[in-house]
Amino acid sequence: MDEKIDILMATYNGEKYLEEQIESILKQTYSNFRLIISDDCSTDGTCEILKKYSQKDNRIEIYFQEKNLGYIKNFEFLLNKVENEIYMLSDQDDYWLPEKVEKTYKKLKEAKADLVFTDLIVVNEKEEIINKSFNKLMNLDKKINKTKNTKELVYLYNCITGCTIMSKKDFIKDIVPIPTESKHVLHDHWISLVVSMKGKVEYLPEGLIKYRQHGNNQIGAKHKISKENSLNAVDGHKVVVEIIKRISNHQAEGKVLRIIGHKNDPGVDILS
C-alpha cells in the first residue's frame, strides 16, 4: 500500500474558492493522505465550510487558531503537525489536477529526492487559462534549466513555489521556527533553502495545479516578481548564518559559503 502523505493547508477568509480547492484534493488519484487545515481566525464563511468537510471525509483534520498568526506562522503550526514521512503544501484558492499527488510522489521516489517542485498553470478567477506555464511566464524556466542540480537554484533565484512542494518530514526539525525578519524570504523559500543545503531537490516540469489569480491573493503571481531577485546581497548573510546554525553540518556549510561567492552579483536581491 502507498504510504500516507500529509497535505498542509493554511486558510484565512477563503470562502470563495475553498470548496473547489478541497474537492480537487479529495478527488486525487492518490488517495492515501491526511489533509490538515489550520484556519487563522477567518471572519467569513471559511470555518463553516471547514466544519462541513471535516464531517464529510475522515481524512480531513481541522484546527482553528484562537489568535491571528499570519500565514508564515500558520504554516509553521502545520509543519509541527506533520506525522507522516512525506508532506505537501497547499494554498486555499487553487485547483489541483487529479494526478498532482501521484505524479509528484512518483518523481520524489524515482529521483530519490528530498524535495520536488513542479510548474503551475496560471488561471483567472473563472479557471480560464492565462498561461500554461507559470515558470515561463515569470522567466523562471531559464533559471531552473541553468541552475538545476545546484544550490544557486534555490539560494539566488528562489524558483520554487510553495503550493507545488512535496518534501520529507526529516527536514522539519531544521526548518522550524521559520524566520520572519525578512519580507523576501517567505515560508516556501525558507523550506526550499534548508532542504537544498542538506538534501536533493528535483524539478517536475509539468503544471499540476491551476494557480488562481484574483484580487484577494495573499501571495499571487503579481507578488512573485521578487522570485527573479530573491536574495538581497547586503543582508544575505543573515540567511546564510541562520541556515548554518540550524544545520550544523560542515558539508552544508561549505555549500552555503560557495554560494556566497555570488553575493556581489548585481542581479541578486535577498533580505531587507
Side-chain angles (χ1 to χ4, degrees):
M1 184 178 180
D2 292 327
E3 62 186 302
K4 184 172 285 189
I5 294 171
D6 285 340
I7 300 173
L8 314 181
M9 180 191 294
T11 61
Y12 178 72
N13 287 350
E15 66 175 359
K16 188 172 183 179
Y17 306 109
L18 182 58
E19 293 194 58
E20 287 183 59
Q21 171 68 308
I22 292 176
E23 287 288 347
S24 74
I25 294 174
L26 297 181
K27 293 176 182 177
Q28 290 293 300
T29 56
Y30 190 111
S31 60
N32 191 20
F33 61 80
R34 183 173 66 133
L35 175 56
I36 313 169
I37 305 175
S38 173
D39 184 75
D40 201 19
C41 300
S42 290
T43 57
D44 62 358
T46 296
C47 295
E48 286 67 32
I49 293 171
L50 295 180
K51 290 174 183 176
K52 178 181 73 174
Y53 274 96
S54 66
Q55 296 172 357
K56 178 180 179 180
D57 196 305
N58 60 14
R59 293 175 294 177
I60 299 176
E61 184 175 309
I62 307 293
Y63 294 91
F64 297 103
Q65 299 300 328
E66 294 182 358
K67 64 177 182 178
N68 186 269
L69 301 177
Y71 60 88
I72 293 178
K73 288 301 178 181
N74 201 15
F75 269 112
E76 181 180 298
F77 172 87
L78 287 164
L79 286 169
N80 284 318
K81 294 297 179 182
V82 171
E83 296 178 357
N84 295 297
E85 292 306 310
I86 296 174
Y87 71 91
M88 303 179 76
L89 303 183
S90 170
D91 287 343
Q92 65 180 356
D93 51 5
D94 299 323
Y95 187 93
W96 287 19
L97 299 189
E99 295 181 316
K100 172 175 162 61
V101 178
E102 180 182 347
K103 289 185 175 181
T104 310
Y105 177 76
K106 182 180 179 182
K107 178 70 173 181
L108 186 87
K109 289 299 183 179
E110 290 181 347
K112 296 181 179 178
D114 299 299
L115 185 149
V116 170
F117 70 104
T118 76
D119 201 351
L120 312 90
I121 303 166
V122 184
V123 300
N124 62 18
E125 296 184 18
K126 299 178 181 179
E127 288 188 37
E128 298 168 336
I129 295 177
I130 297 173
N131 197 295
K132 292 182 179 180
S133 171
F134 172 77
N135 288 335
K136 288 182 179 179
L137 175 65
M138 303 303 293
N139 295 318
L140 296 177
D141 59 322
K142 296 177 182 178
K143 294 180 173 67
I144 292 170
N145 291 329
K146 176 183 176 181
T147 61
K148 62 183 177 182
N149 302 319
T150 72
K151 301 300 176 288
E152 285 86 347
L153 169 70
V154 181
Y155 186 83
L156 294 179
Y157 300 120
N158 186 16
C159 295
I160 300 176
T161 302
C163 56
T164 73
I165 286 176
M166 175 181 283
S167 191
K168 295 182 177 178
K169 177 185 176 183
D170 291 346
F171 295 86
I172 292 177
K173 64 182 184 300
D174 296 317
I175 291 168
V176 297
I178 301 173
T180 56
E181 293 80 8
S182 170
K183 64 184 179 182
H184 295 300
V185 180
L186 303 179
H187 63 286
D188 52 354
H189 191 187
W190 176 252
I191 290 169
S192 306
L193 281 166
V194 172
V195 175
S196 71
M197 291 304 153
K198 288 183 71 175
K200 181 181 181 182
V201 175
E202 285 285 337
Y203 176 55
L204 178 58
E206 183 176 352
L208 296 175
I209 179 174
K210 292 182 181 179
Y211 189 47
R212 197 191 309 262
Q213 299 306 298
H214 57 87
N216 296 323
N217 287 59
Q218 281 215 347
I219 309 174
K222 61 184 179 182
H223 297 127
K224 293 292 183 180
I225 299 297
S226 62
K227 281 185 174 293
E228 296 184 1
N229 300 296
S230 63
L231 298 182
N232 183 317
V234 176
D235 297 320
H237 291 290
K238 295 178 183 178
V239 173
V240 173
V241 170
E242 185 62 28
I243 292 174
I244 292 174
K245 283 166 55 181
R246 299 281 183 95
I247 295 176
S248 300
N249 178 300
H250 292 299
Q251 182 179 4
E253 180 176 346
K255 293 176 183 177
V256 174
L257 294 176
R258 283 195 295 275
I259 293 170
I260 298 176
H262 293 268
K263 66 181 179 297
N264 294 320
D265 183 343
V268 177
D269 179 25
I270 293 192
L271 284 181
S272 63

